[in-house]
Amino acid sequence: MQETLRAATKWWLPGICLILTGWCANQYVSLISWYQQHRELSEFEAMLVMGSYLLGMIPALAFGGPLADKFGRKPFTLAALGFSILGSLALMTGVFNELGLYAGRIFTGLGMGLAMVAVTSWVKLISPGPAGATRAAICTSAGFAIGPAISGAIVGGTQNPELAYAVHAAATAAWLLLMLTTREERENFLLGVVPLPAAPAPTQMHTSEANMKRFTRMVLPAAPWVFGMAATGFAVVPALSSAPGQSTLLYTTTAVVVTMGMGAAIQPLIKRFNDVGRIRLLMAGLAVSLLALLVMIAVSLTGSLVLGAAAFVLSGSANGILLVAGLSQVLDLAGPADIGKLTGRFYMCCFIGFTFPTFFALWRMAADPVWFIALLAALCCLSMIQVFRARKYLPGKSRDAVNA
């Protein structure tokens, strides 16, 4: 029966929702320098607009997960698409007043937050075995890379960001209409049916105390670096390579596309190493993060665009590795009734890192930015130490690697 239900909805239908919401989330970030040069935003204001996304993201992650666990994923998937459309429409009003940019980013955060809990868990539940974590992570990262590529190309050719936002709104509205006709199969645990043996944590409805310790003491300390490295790679590195607001549209677009594209590209390559019974992938992601930060220090000292490109690649790699490693741990340890809730908490901690560019802009007003990157490197080392110490909370050798 379950296999029939799983086959009824193709995983890529909700998967494309992750791509569309990810597109919306990053379509502004490749335009940060453009807005400074053509719409007269300061570096701090441009970074603050980017960070205002969290005002929508955090409540969506906090409340969307438990509600999706209770009421189903489809309603919140549709809401995610709807908020993404509103986000693009509000960003279009930024041509008249910068408050439209803030409103657009907040709506965008609401859409992305709901997608990350509701759509991620939907993809996971209709995917065979442990494949859902990899599929959801790849779709999310692909959206993060596609969005800035499209907006950067459109603005580069037309000098009209409002057209880029309109393209996203139209594409998302079309997919929303299609998703209205898609059926959601309520998972077995909601129907009182015995779960599949391949499902994570199949023996209980809620997450065990031991797995909660694994979540809080091993997974969460690494989480801020998931999007911390992404945001630092595509927003801070271009700022390190030039004076405030002086990066070209081509370079800032390249920064986002390479960083997030690398995050998506590396995920299928690392799946063979993803054993949720070990910490090696989490530790590898943090080690790559540290290496990226050391390269950024060199960028700050030299202004080298070549070293900047290397930092994009390393930051994106760290993002992809940590996203797969962290999300796989969450989906493995979570009890069936807690998948949305713990996924939301995980992503809330991930998006702490999204504040790094705003703090960077504040720091640069008063001190040399190289010391900001050095501080991040020191904090990354502390995260590595905590994850290593928490390895005792692992359940032992994994039954499955995320190989789908």
Side-chain angles (χ1 to χ4, degrees), residues 177-197:
L177 293 175
L178 176 62
M179 291 302 295
L180 286 170
T181 67
T182 302
R183 186 179 68 178
E184 178 190 4
E185 298 79 20
R186 302 301 297 271
E187 55 275 14
N188 278 347
F189 68 84
L190 291 177
L191 296 172
V193 182
V194 177
L196 280 181

Side-chain angles (χ1 to χ4, degrees), residues 169 180 219 224 240 376:
L180 286 170
V219 178
L240 291 172
L376 291 182

Side-chain angles (χ1 to χ4, degrees), residues 217-229 266 270 279-294 314-326 346 356 376-390:
R217 301 182 188 184
M218 188 188 78
V219 178
L220 293 189
W225 302 101
V226 174
F227 293 122
M229 291 313 303
I266 200 170
I270 61 172
I279 62 167
R280 61 185 180 185
L281 204 60
L282 281 172
M283 291 297 290
L286 290 170
V288 176
S289 299
L290 181 59
L291 180 58
L293 291 167
L294 294 177
L314 289 170
S315 298
S317 298
N319 165 258
I321 294 169
L322 288 171
L323 182 58
V324 168
F346 169 68
F356 291 175
L376 291 182
L379 293 174
C380 186
C381 289
L382 292 177
S383 295
M384 293 179 72
I385 292 170
Q386 174 58 33
V387 171
F388 183 76
R389 291 179 60 189

